[in-house]
């Protein structure tokens, strides 16, 4: 039994590591590709939007995934109830944070193009925050392969989309849209 648990821990750890490396590596690679494609101004707006999106993810999470993961692990019979409650909280926090992000960017006097990029990347961040709740379910069931596949799917999607944006010259809004599409793929895969 102990050997089996050690093997499971090792397998899940390696699986999570691969998923995280591909997912985060794709984010870095896509930013590197876009840094060569976008103008300095457009790339600066994109990086600022990504930073704002990361703040949104932090605010939307506020520990829900950790608590949900613990509750899921303790009593699988309550999983649907806990999931529904956590999803409701997550959706409410995502909507409020997204609205606040847009309001602050408007009140702070950011240009219309900057606000559009913040909105596009912010939508991706909100979707990514929702995916984190799915990951809590996978972790509680020790199905890290599902999370890894989701993260890899999002990472590969990001690289493909950014490659298309760069190759076709679609512009900065299309580049920012790749964040929302990547997050949507991660959420549904």
């Amino acid at each position: 039994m102990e050997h089996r648990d050690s093997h499971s821990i090792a397998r899940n750890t390696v699986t999570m590591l691969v998923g995280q490396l591909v997912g985060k590596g794709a984010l870095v690679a896509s930013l590197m590709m876009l840094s060569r494609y976008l103008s300095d101004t457009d790339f600066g707006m994109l990086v600022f939007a990504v930073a704002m999106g990361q703040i949104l993810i932090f605010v939307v999470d506020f520990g829900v995934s950790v608590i949900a993961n613990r509750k899921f692990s303790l009593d699988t019979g309550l999983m649907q109830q806990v999931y529904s409650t956590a999803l409701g909280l997550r959706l409410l926090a995502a909507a409020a944070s997204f609205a606040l992000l847009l309001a602050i960017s408007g009140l702070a006097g950011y240009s219309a193009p900057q606000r559009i990029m913040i909105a596009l990347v912010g939508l991706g961040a909100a979707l990514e925050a929702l995916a984190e709740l799915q990951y809590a379910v996978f972790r509680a069931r020790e199905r890290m392969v599902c999370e890894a596949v989701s993260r890899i799917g999002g990472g590969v999607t990001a690289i493909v989309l950014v490659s298309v944006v760069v190759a076709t010259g679609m512009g900065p809004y299309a580049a920012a849209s790749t964040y929302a599409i990547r997050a949507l793929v991660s959420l549904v895969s």
Side-chain angles (χ1 to χ4, degrees):
M1 177 81 160
E2 188 175 309
H3 173 69
R4 198 168 165 180
D5 287 342
S6 296
H7 180 69
S8 175
I9 290 169
R11 183 183 66 244
N12 283 327
T13 299
V14 169
T15 302
M16 288 286 292
L17 177 64
V18 169
Q20 290 280 356
L21 286 174
V22 171
K24 300 297 184 199
L27 174 64
V28 171
S30 68
L31 284 171
M32 288 171 46
M33 292 167 65
L34 289 171
S35 73
R36 295 176 182 267
Y37 163 68
L38 296 172
S39 70
D40 289 345
T41 300
D42 288 340
F43 185 69
M45 287 193 297
L46 178 66
V47 169
F48 179 74
V50 169
M52 296 297 285
Q54 293 303 307
I55 293 168
L56 187 140
I57 290 172
F58 176 74
V59 171
V60 171
D61 185 40
F62 65 90
V64 172
S65 294
V66 173
I67 294 167
N69 187 2
R70 183 172 183 278
K71 295 282 188 188
F72 295 156
S73 298
L74 292 174
D75 188 351
T76 57
L78 292 176
M79 190 171 286
Q80 185 61 43
Q81 179 184 355
V82 171
Y83 183 83
S84 295
T85 301
L87 180 61
L89 287 170
R90 194 53 75 92
L91 287 169
L92 181 64
S97 296
F98 187 70
L100 184 62
L101 182 67
L102 294 179
I104 289 171
S105 67
L107 292 172
Y110 291 114
S111 67
Q114 180 68 62
R115 291 194 313 268
I116 291 169
M117 290 184 79
I118 288 171
L120 291 169
V121 175
L123 176 61
L127 292 170
E128 189 175 329
L130 292 174
E132 287 295 327
L133 184 57
Q134 292 294 109
Y135 300 158
V137 173
F138 299 150
R139 291 174 191 155
R141 293 183 173 175
E142 294 187 25
R143 302 284 186 243
M144 278 52 156
V145 70
C146 297
E147 180 176 345
V149 166
S150 174
R151 290 184 186 278
I152 290 169
V156 169
T157 298
I159 295 298
V160 169
L161 290 174
V162 167
S163 297
V164 169
V165 167
V166 170
T168 60
M170 295 172 109
Y173 297 145
S177 297
T178 65
Y179 289 88
I181 297 167
R182 174 193 60 84
L184 182 61
V185 167
S186 292
L187 180 62
V188 299
S189 62

